[in-house]
């Protein structure tokens, strides 16, 4: 898996979990203090994120950080 593929799959995972929790992008952005354009870029795999941003997203989704990476472990 390339870095670009990983970033895209991570974004899809964030989007999927957000939707499963019934949150819009605006809901999550409001919860974590992020601009919607940034979250959109993350979810669409156009932006790599720092570990602290990843933690903020997990906190906003009220999930464990590891849940965001389930796509990775399922492929192995």
């Amino acid at each position: 898996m390339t870095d670009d593929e990983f970033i895209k799959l991570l974004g899809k995972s964030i989007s999927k979990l957000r939707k499963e929790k019934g949150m819009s992008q605006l809901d999550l952005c409001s919860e974590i203090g992020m601009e919607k354009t940034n979250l959109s870029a993350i979810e669409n795999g156009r932006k790599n994120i720092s570990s602290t941003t990843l933690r903020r997203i997990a906190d906003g989704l009220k999930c464990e950080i590891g849940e965001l990476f389930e796509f990775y472990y399922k492929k192995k």
Side-chain angles (χ1 to χ4, degrees):
M1 176 182 308
T2 67
D3 289 348
D4 286 342
E5 290 169 331
F6 180 83
I7 292 167
K8 286 179 183 177
L9 289 172
L10 177 58
K12 285 182 183 181
S13 177
I14 291 168
S15 176
K16 179 178 179 268
L17 279 170
R18 176 181 56 74
K19 290 173 185 175
E20 285 175 359
K21 297 194 179 270
M23 297 178 81
S24 69
Q25 284 184 335
L26 286 176
D27 293 334
L28 181 56
C29 288
S30 177
E31 182 77 23
I32 64 174
M34 177 182 284
E35 294 290 325
K36 185 178 179 290
T37 54
N38 287 335
L39 181 58
S40 178
I42 292 166
E43 289 187 355
N44 288 301
R46 295 188 314 268
K47 183 174 184 174
N48 196 357
I49 58 176
S50 68
S51 56
T52 55
T53 299
L54 190 62
R55 179 194 49 82
R56 286 174 46 216
I57 290 171
D59 288 350
L61 292 171
K62 295 177 181 37
C63 71
E64 298 292 326
I65 289 176
E67 289 180 65
L68 301 174
F69 294 100
E70 287 181 357
F71 70 90
Y72 184 75
Y73 295 107
K74 288 181 181 179
K75 288 191 167 249
K76 293 204 168 224

